Amino acid sequence: MKIVEVGPRDGLQNEKQVISTEDKLAYIELLIGAGHKRIEAVSFARPDRVPQMADAEAVMSGVQRIDGVSYIGLVMNERGLDRALATKVDEANIVIVATETFSNRNQNMTIAESLKGLEAMVSRAKAEGLQVTTTIGASFGCPFEGEVATSQVTSIAKAATEMGVDEIAIADTIGVGTPKDVRRIVTAVKEVTSLPLRLHLHNTRNTGYANAFAGYEAGVISFDSSSGGIGGCPFAPAATGNIATEDLTYLFERSGIEVGLDFARLTEAAQFITEKLGIVTPALLGRAGWFPAPEHTR
Ligand code: MG
């Protein structure tokens, strides 16, 4: 299984404390040092709506370009894609939301309109050599509509597959899912696509890690997480963020599933960014330590 580090994007974007470009670059460097190969580094959202991501261009022009390390930019619309292409991200992660109300609030479009937009964006991004992921937001529950029908998710997955995307990500944007939901949704999505699947989980209700493991057992191969578990949620102000990279790494590695990240350096990256944010990390591994302790910390 592979971890996509989303700390610099989803982790930071809902944190109030604005992090300087220089610190973001130092953070990304630490993440690469820990062994990360795919990093969601920026979002091309409107700077007035997501001020933390306003320096996306500066971040992308400052990152180290290393063979085998891929930088992902989150894209909501054509203007975002223009910026993504100009900054030379390696991958575009284009979001489609699974419910009409959320789609309208988030992107000011119906689902049909956003799928039409997706088709145009996918062909442009692919023509420019980018890898493209479609993330299906609010797949497990909507902050406005509540329950989300499985068919809402599968119809978007099917449409995106036909448009030629490279990967489908299923997002529990507000952190309401359970392992049973993961099995139901992943199984249904696998019936409509043979593309690699990625899960984007939040630990809002403490089900994130159980959900990740259920996803792995159901055939998902990539998981989004943020170091330290940073990242709030705009719809649940008191909520914790993404599942934490170091805790997820522990869960998988101790289960005999190779992740390929360095625990000590992961916690170093988490410590760096949580100090800059002035928060205590929701992640637990940095406090408890690995078991058994790895050689270099003995
Ligand atoms: Mg998220």
Side-chain angles (χ1 to χ4, degrees):
M1 60 81 78
K2 297 273 182 285
I3 290 185
V4 178
E5 172 64 50
V6 299
R9 199 282 298 172
D10 206 20
L12 290 182
Q13 77 172 18
N14 292 311
E15 297 285 353
K16 281 185 199 73
Q17 176 72 41
V18 174
I19 301 298
S20 71
T21 305
E22 195 189 358
D23 285 342
K24 286 179 187 173
L25 292 173
Y27 176 40
I28 291 170
E29 204 167 311
L30 288 168
L31 294 169
I32 292 169
H36 277 298
K37 302 286 186 230
R38 289 179 85 193
I39 299 175
E40 200 158 284
V42 292
S43 168
F44 299 102
R46 270 171 47 183
D48 59 318
R49 291 191 65 179
V50 188
Q52 183 75 271
M53 294 289 118
D55 64 347
E57 279 77 3
V59 169
M60 282 314 302
S61 68
V63 291
Q64 300 169 281
R65 299 290 180 165
I66 299 168
D67 258 2
V69 173
S70 184
Y71 294 107
I72 307 169
L74 193 79
V75 169
M76 317 288 272
N77 51 37
E78 284 282 349
R79 181 163 307 177
L81 183 62
D82 291 341
R83 293 174 64 198
L85 295 175
T87 58
K88 306 216 180 334
V89 288
D90 303 295
E91 305 182 39
N93 180 7
I94 306 175
V95 182
I96 303 290
V97 184
T99 68
E100 291 294 350
T101 316
F102 200 165
S103 178
N104 194 271
R105 298 254 194 140
N106 205 42
Q107 270 133 315
N108 206 17
M109 281 186 278
T110 64
I111 295 171
E113 285 165 346
S114 75
L115 282 174
K116 207 166 167 212
L118 178 68
E119 188 161 31
M121 287 191 278
V122 171
S123 59
R124 271 184 76 200
K126 297 296 294 177
E128 299 271 344
L130 266 61
Q131 290 284 110
V132 182
T133 299
T134 292
T135 287
I136 308 171
S139 291
F140 292 77
C142 172
F144 309 107
E145 295 183 16
E147 298 292 344
V148 175
T150 314
S151 59
Q152 301 266 104
V153 181
T154 53
S155 67
I156 294 170
K158 187 167 187 282
T161 303
E162 284 161 3
M163 290 170 195
V165 306
D166 301 291
E167 179 184 59
I168 303 281
I170 309 164
D172 189 4
T173 309
I174 57 169
V176 292
T178 65
K180 192 177 173 186
D181 298 319
V182 172
R183 282 189 287 271
R184 166 179 55 86
I185 295 171
V186 170
T187 304
V189 169
K190 282 178 75 174
E191 278 166 21
V192 300
T193 185
S194 53
L195 288 175
L197 300 183
R198 174 173 156 193
L199 262 181
H200 178 92
L201 300 167
H202 282 254
N203 199 36
T204 316
R205 290 167 179 82
N206 242 348
T207 56
Y209 302 94
N211 290 347
F213 208 83
Y216 174 80
E217 291 183 321
V220 174
I221 58 168
S222 297
F223 297 83
D224 290 2
S225 64
S226 71
S227 51
I230 59 168
C233 173
F235 303 103
T240 57
N242 301 96
I243 50 174
T245 306
E246 57 270 42
D247 292 11
L248 189 66
T249 299
Y250 180 82
L251 170 65
F252 280 110
E253 287 276 359
R254 281 288 296 172
S255 304
I257 302 153
E258 200 189 334
V259 177
L261 296 171
D262 182 314
F263 156 68
R265 298 181 83 173
L266 279 180
T267 49
E268 221 176 284
Q271 210 165 12
F272 172 84
I273 199 63
T274 49
E275 267 168 30
K276 295 287 175 193
L277 290 166
I279 58 168
V280 176
T281 163
L284 296 174
L285 208 74
R287 286 180 242 173
W290 196 272
F291 178 83
E295 290 297 339
H296 55 280
T297 62
R298 259 176 215 160

